[in-house]
Amino acid sequence: MELTMKKILLIGDSIRMGYDKYVKLAFEGEAEVYYPDENCRFAAFVTRNLHEWKKRLALDDVDLVHWNVGLWDDLVLLDGECLTPLPIYCYYIERICRLIKLFFPKAKVIFATSTPIQEKLFMTCKRFNKDTERYNEEAVAIVKRHGFEINDLYSAMVDMPTEYYSDLTHPYTAGGAKLLTEQVVSVIEKALDIKGKQLNYEEFFEKKSNVLGI
């Protein structure tokens, strides 16, 4: 009898886009890893598009959903206010939790906290780690009430060397990709009782290319 591989769905912003392909490689032969081909952006965008991504990726149900949202939401725009005020962010986190349960009722669910940034480098629109910490704290409280697990990527990255960043926000470097990917892989391994492969991240970054942006 042929064993069916586990199915994993990764949802998240450009931080997720820095580790998704490596998570897929790490679990090659052990699990099928799916993710949208676009940046999942902010909480309202995830709320609106979760069912679209499910349809586009041809997913009935999955064994695990690993998701994050927040860095777009706590971005301070030129009027001095965050894109998504904290109470509205919490409203959308609650809705996303319910939608995940609706669309993927058999899945284990892991919420990843938003990662710290180099706040002193922001010039126009800004991000502040104190805001990210507040948004993380509120989101964690909500997702825990739904029985979801937490992957604290913020803590994993908070003491990360500056050279692991490729710009203001992203760890698109060999060191940064290794740190975040291995953190994500480790929580998925425990949740699904599977084992990921070790990867050589230096090979992926032989040709350096910084991805700039906010």
Side-chain angles (χ1 to χ4, degrees), residues 137-152:
E137 182 179 359
E138 294 294 331
V140 165
I142 294 167
V143 301
K144 279 186 173 180
R145 288 200 293 271
H146 283 269
F148 297 172
E149 296 179 33
I150 306 300
N151 181 8
D152 192 359

Side-chain angles (χ1 to χ4, degrees), residues 74-139:
D74 68 26
L75 178 67
V76 179
L77 303 183
L78 296 179
D79 62 358
E81 295 188 20
C82 291
L83 173 66
T84 310
L86 186 56
I88 298 175
Y89 174 73
C90 291
Y91 162 79
Y92 278 118
I93 291 294
E94 174 67 34
R95 284 189 71 180
I96 294 168
C97 290
R98 296 200 307 266
L99 287 169
I100 289 174
K101 288 180 172 180
L102 176 65
F103 298 147
F104 307 106
K106 298 177 183 177
K108 293 184 177 181
V109 184
I110 300 172
F111 175 78
T113 55
S114 295
T115 51
I117 49 80
Q118 300 189 86
E119 58 184 37
K120 293 181 180 179
L121 300 182
F122 282 77
M123 301 299 292
T124 52
C125 296
K126 295 182 181 295
R127 284 196 178 103
F128 299 99
N129 287 323
K130 63 178 177 57
D131 290 332
T132 300
E133 290 169 3
R134 285 194 306 134
Y135 278 57
N136 280 339
E137 182 179 359
E138 294 294 331

Side-chain angles (χ1 to χ4, degrees), residues 182-194:
E182 290 185 350
Q183 174 67 20
V184 173
V185 166
S186 69
V187 298
I188 294 175
E189 286 177 329
K190 292 174 186 175
L192 294 182
D193 194 24
I194 57 177

